[in-house]
Amino acid sequence: MALDSKVPQGPIKDKWTDYKNHIDLVNPANKRNIDIIVVGTGLAGGSACATLAELGYNVKAFAYQDSPRRAHSIAAQGGINAAKNYQGDGDSTYRLFYDTVKGGDYRSREANVYRLAEVSANIIDQCVAQGVPFARDYGGLLDNRSFGGVLVSRTFYAKGQTGQQLLLGAYSAMNRQIARGKIEMFNRHEMLDVVVVDGKARGIIARNLITGEIERHSAHAVVIASGGYGNVFFLSTNAMGSNVSAGWKIHKKGAFFSNPCYTQIHPTCIPRSGDYQSKLTLMSESLRNDGRIWVPKNMEDVLAIREGKKKPIDLSEDERDYYLERRYPAFGNLVPRDVASRAAKERCDAGYGVNATGEAVYLDFASAIDRYGKEQAKIHNITNPSKEKIYELGQAIVEAKYGNLFQMYEKIVDQNPYETPMMIYPAVHYTMGGVWVDYNLMTTIPGCYCIGEANFSDHGANRLGASALMQGLADGYFVLPYTIGDYLSDDIRTGKISTETPEFEAAEKEVTERINFFVNNKGTKSVDYFHKRLGKVMWDKVGMSRNAKGLEEAMAEIKAIREEFWKEVSVPGTANEMNPELEKAGRVADFLELGELFAKDALMRSESCGGHFREESAELDGPQKGEAKRNDEDFAFVAAWEYKGEPADAVLHKEELEFKDIELKQRSYK
């Protein structure tokens, strides 16, 4: 099948405007006769539901949580990017586009990214109008802070609760449409299959997670907004319920998957403390604005700290290695996430990790507290302030900016991060790959769309911090409502889609048989037993550091785990009740299939990019022939591209190659 990205012709800065000027539209009277299913009600799905319903479409929204407010989008802490240049520090649409493409190791689709940068400013206006309480400066203007991989301040934030506040804005917009009857909300429902009729997505099969009832739902189009699949690693910063199932079901019905092996490794996660853990906790990247990352210079100090004979505050500045500031002086502690993660792993692999497992580095706020304290003393005309007073004043500023994050850290680790440096370590976070979509956000199944983290298009091999919320809301509020109308303009005379068809019957039968297998199988091992085994293989052999031998071993091991899973998995309870173990069984079954594809994709790429380092180099065939080189001095990665014939999309586009060669020749953070 030949992939067609449907990227409009012309200069990249004019593509979106020209596209909107020439697409087909559905008039308001006809929108009332068209149904759209949206699976997932996080920022991407919630904003899409609200906007599509506001336009007049009939929307059916599905969430496996008890409320859209529980979507994992609430976990986003640090902020949302937008090219408004409020700081007057040189930001622009082009610079946001450039930083995003560069930070993604040039693996993203440039036309989508430029559109994302264009609409980013509109997102902030939309959210302010909804009452989102963004932080403001003393003059009342919206405040900004900086994130990794950029040289400007473009991140809007609401303390460390930005995702939650943005989701409440989208949820309030949804509630308005629910009250008007334009959104039919299905809480505690999980999509278990997509139904394709005459080659078009026409509905889904869903399970009521409270009663166990299997339901058929039809629509003229289906939108997947189900988030990422980081839990394929078992331990990740994702919520326990986050899964790949919706995206995987449409993949098995014909939707292509793209770049599954690109996973973002977040550098500021609370380190693992034992084998009993079921998830990891993220500390916002915004902390790197004021926190300095270091490890001891001397191995004897490392060992003394691990044994409890020394505290980190006992080490002088000369005894500390601020390795990011040393290696990347221009960006310092604000290098992109992949660079920071690789550097932390390198230091820990070299033996300088500071906790009992040897998997932690310090994130230290002492300098920031001192700096802010002295500044506040000046502002308040305090002459010759004591160290205690400087500390008190400085801590108040840090607490105002990051207080809830510090509180969360102290509750988990039982250490006061104002008094002793935080410990952090890289962890699986956001997924770069996902369902392949064209410029319209449509998958290779006509009528089936995929938005937000669930698709592959905007972030390449690595996502800049604060860009996840930007993509989710851009797709939902400002992109999909245009692009889906162009497709639905052909459906204004179709009428209601019947669920009494052979396609719906076959899909429901397949779903029911799978559920019955799980509850009737007489296995001896729990779902988590298999999930943990999969996660260990994924992290050890398909994670940050990979090689051909390990990837081949991983594929064989995952296959063996999957075969054992179908023989030995045990699911207590029945199908006709609320049964969390049954839900997990279906999701882990999908993870086991994805895991093998994930490893296969990684094996076929002899490149180091994003958060992944390929330990040996080999040539690739086809349009993505890459030679990855490692600079041992600074761990920057450079990819050399060669264009051969027509691209297989999702990789390179003809008109964009010139741009790459001219503007983005090399990535460097020196």
Side-chain angles (χ1 to χ4, degrees):
M1 177 180 181
L3 290 172
D4 180 5
S5 68
K6 295 185 173 64
V7 173
Q9 297 298 311
I12 196 167
K13 65 182 180 62
D14 299 328
K15 290 181 188 293
W16 181 232
T17 301
D18 290 347
Y19 171 92
K20 290 188 293 182
N21 288 339
H22 296 97
I23 58 172
D24 291 331
L25 302 176
V26 181
N27 81 37
N30 288 329
K31 287 188 177 86
R32 293 194 291 267
N33 300 318
I34 293 178
D35 302 325
I36 301 173
I37 285 173
V38 180
V39 178
T41 53
L43 282 180
S47 58
C49 287
T51 309
L52 292 169
E54 182 80 37
L55 288 171
Y57 296 107
N58 305 310
V59 177
K60 295 180 180 179
F62 292 81
Y64 67 73
Q65 301 93 346
D66 55 3
S67 165
R69 290 175 300 170
R70 302 272 291 174
H72 186 54
S73 298
I74 68 164
Q77 298 166 344
I80 176 171
N81 289 330
K84 277 190 169 289
N85 195 32
Y86 278 0
Q87 306 295 309
D89 55 1
D91 201 10
S92 65
T93 297
Y94 174 82
R95 189 172 289 278
L96 174 52
F97 157 69
Y98 180 94
D99 288 343
T100 304
V101 174
K102 181 182 180 184
D105 268 348
Y106 323 128
R107 294 339 192 250
S108 48
R109 182 187 287 147
E110 284 87 343
N112 289 56
V113 177
Y114 198 92
R115 175 176 64 187
L116 176 65
E118 274 187 273
V119 305
S120 65
N122 297 337
I123 297 171
I124 304 304
D125 297 337
Q126 171 91 358
C127 294
V128 169
Q130 290 174 339
V132 173
F134 285 122
R136 295 178 181 267
D137 64 21
Y138 74 96
L141 298 177
L142 296 182
D143 198 11
N144 290 136
R145 56 191 178 200
S146 187
F147 261 60
V150 303
L151 295 173
V152 297
S153 294
R154 65 162 67 101
T155 304
F156 296 78
Y157 64 98
K159 268 197 168 182
Q161 311 167 351
T162 313
Q164 180 177 0
Q165 299 301 332
L166 291 172
L167 187 62
L168 289 173
Y171 180 61
S172 66
M174 280 186 70
N175 271 341
R176 180 168 176 268
Q177 299 306 322
I178 292 172
R180 294 178 63 219
K182 296 303 293 181
I183 295 178
E184 189 176 1
M185 189 69 227
F186 294 89
N187 293 322
R188 278 304 195 175
H189 280 68
E190 183 168 29
M191 169 188 157
L192 296 180
D193 207 353
V194 65
V195 180
V196 179
V197 181
D198 295 331
K200 296 181 178 181
R202 292 303 199 190
I204 66 170
I205 304 297
R207 179 174 181 266
N208 182 321
L209 297 180
I210 296 175
T211 67
E213 183 182 357
I214 304 300
E215 302 174 2
R216 303 179 185 184
H217 296 274
S218 66
H220 297 88
V222 175
V223 180
I224 303 299
S226 54
Y229 49 84
N231 280 348
V232 70
F233 287 88
F234 185 71
L235 281 180
S236 81
T237 66
N238 289 193
M240 292 289 290
S242 296
N243 63 83
V244 75
S245 289
W248 195 248
K249 299 307 184 191
I250 66 170
H251 171 59
K252 295 183 80 169
K253 283 292 180 73
F256 283 19
F257 225 82
S258 186
N259 304 340
C261 78
Y262 292 157
T263 310
Q264 179 167 78
I265 313 296
H266 199 293
T268 55
C269 177
I270 296 178
R272 177 179 65 88
S273 56
D275 293 334
Y276 57 85
Q277 281 182 257
S278 55
K279 79 175 298 293
L280 298 171
T281 304
L282 177 70
M283 290 282 98
S284 169
E285 184 186 349
S286 62
L287 295 171
R288 290 199 280 147
N289 274 281
D290 287 312
R292 300 177 70 194
I293 296 172
W294 63 276
V295 292
K297 283 183 181 178
N298 303 314
M299 189 58 69
E300 54 265 33
D301 289 331
V302 173
L303 298 175
I305 288 172
R306 286 186 193 169
E307 294 167 4
K309 297 176 181 177
K310 273 190 178 181
K311 296 180 180 179
I313 56 175
D314 295 334
L315 271 61
S316 67
E317 287 291 296
D318 292 340
E319 295 172 316
R320 303 178 179 193
D321 177 15
Y322 295 96
Y323 56 87
L324 290 178
E325 297 172 27
R326 170 170 58 83
R327 293 176 179 173
Y328 316 102
F331 284 79
N333 295 292
L334 284 173
V335 294
R337 290 177 173 179
D338 58 332
V339 178
S341 294
R342 289 196 307 267
K345 187 173 188 298
E346 183 276 331
R347 286 290 78 198
C348 291
D349 287 350
Y352 290 89
V354 293
N355 66 347
T357 66
E359 296 178 345
V361 299
Y362 287 125
L363 180 64
D364 195 336
F365 289 84
S367 295
I369 291 173
D370 184 66
R371 183 177 72 252
Y372 285 130
K374 290 176 178 176
E375 182 183 89
Q376 288 299 304
K378 291 274 189 184
I379 291 171
H380 292 94
N381 291 317
I382 301 174
T383 56
N384 298 320
S386 64
K387 285 185 178 181
E388 291 75 16
K389 188 63 178 178
I390 290 172
Y391 181 87
E392 176 189 332
L393 294 169
Q395 179 179 332
I397 298 299
V398 171
E399 187 172 357
K401 295 177 74 173
Y402 312 111
N404 61 309
L405 299 173
F406 278 58
Q407 184 182 40
M408 183 168 68
Y409 179 90
E410 185 169 7
K411 284 188 175 183
I412 293 171
V413 182
D414 195 26
Q415 290 182 3
N416 185 341
Y418 294 107
E419 297 174 358
T420 188
M422 286 184 180
M423 289 186 291
I424 58 170
Y425 191 71
V428 171
H429 183 47
Y430 194 91
T431 46
M432 302 296 101
V435 179
W436 184 93
V437 294
D438 62 19
Y439 190 73
N440 301 315
L441 304 181
M442 190 190 289
T443 71
T444 46
I445 302 174
C448 183
Y449 291 78
C450 190
I451 61 177
E453 186 180 1
N455 77 33
F456 88 102
S457 66
D458 287 17
H459 305 297
N462 174 59
R463 175 177 67 81
L464 293 183
S467 286
L469 306 185
M470 177 175 63
Q471 186 204 352
L473 293 182
D475 286 355
Y477 282 138
F478 298 110
V479 179
L480 182 72
Y482 276 102
T483 63
I484 201 170
D486 189 43
Y487 169 79
L488 292 171
S489 63
D490 292 332
D491 265 323
I492 59 176
R493 293 184 179 87
T494 301
K496 279 284 183 185
I497 306 296
S498 172
T499 60
E500 300 302 319
T501 64
E503 292 85 356
F504 273 93
E505 186 175 336
E508 182 179 335
K509 182 173 182 287
E510 186 178 338
V511 164
T512 303
E513 287 175 351
R514 191 184 207 201
I515 288 172
N516 288 338
F517 167 82
F518 283 132
V519 295
N520 293 323
N521 192 51
K522 305 303 180 185
T524 59
K525 297 181 173 69
S526 70
V527 175
D528 278 350
Y529 167 82
F530 294 101
H531 198 178
K532 286 180 180 179
R533 283 179 60 192
L534 170 66
K536 180 167 175 53
V537 173
M538 293 296 295
W539 180 253
D540 289 347
K541 297 182 179 179
V542 202
M544 292 183 70
S545 181
R546 332 198 250 220
N547 57 62
K549 180 174 180 291
L551 291 167
E552 288 170 351
E553 290 172 353
M555 289 169 62
E557 289 173 28
I558 294 168
K559 183 179 180 181
I561 295 169
R562 188 173 69 249
E563 290 173 352
E564 185 182 351
F565 171 85
W566 287 105
K567 293 176 183 175
E568 291 295 327
V569 69
S570 173
V571 177
T574 68
N576 301 317
E577 62 178 346
M578 189 170 180
N579 190 340
E581 284 300 305
L582 176 58
E583 297 168 34
K584 282 199 295 185
R587 295 167 189 168
V588 172
D590 295 331
F591 277 138
L592 285 164
E593 293 180 359
L594 168 69
E596 193 169 345
L597 178 68
F598 194 122
K600 184 176 182 180
D601 183 36
L603 179 63
M604 295 179 71
R605 300 174 186 271
S606 64
E607 58 183 1
S608 293
C609 62
H612 310 289
F613 175 63
R614 186 65 181 260
E615 293 176 0
E616 81 285 285
S617 179
E619 288 194 340
L620 293 174
D621 295 325
Q624 189 195 22
K625 182 180 180 183
E627 178 185 354
K629 300 176 182 178
R630 174 176 175 179
N631 181 325
D632 285 319
E633 165 86 15
D634 65 6
F635 292 84
F637 293 90
V638 180
W641 298 93
E642 180 177 324
Y643 180 71
K644 280 188 173 183
E646 290 301 313
D649 202 83
V651 180
L652 297 173
H653 306 286
K654 236 176 189 176
E655 71 272 19
E656 293 158 2
L657 252 183
E658 286 182 25
F659 181 84
K660 288 180 192 296
D661 291 341
I662 294 169
E663 301 286 351
L664 304 176
K665 200 68 178 178
Q666 178 172 326
R667 179 187 189 202
S668 176
Y669 292 94
K670 287 187 179 180

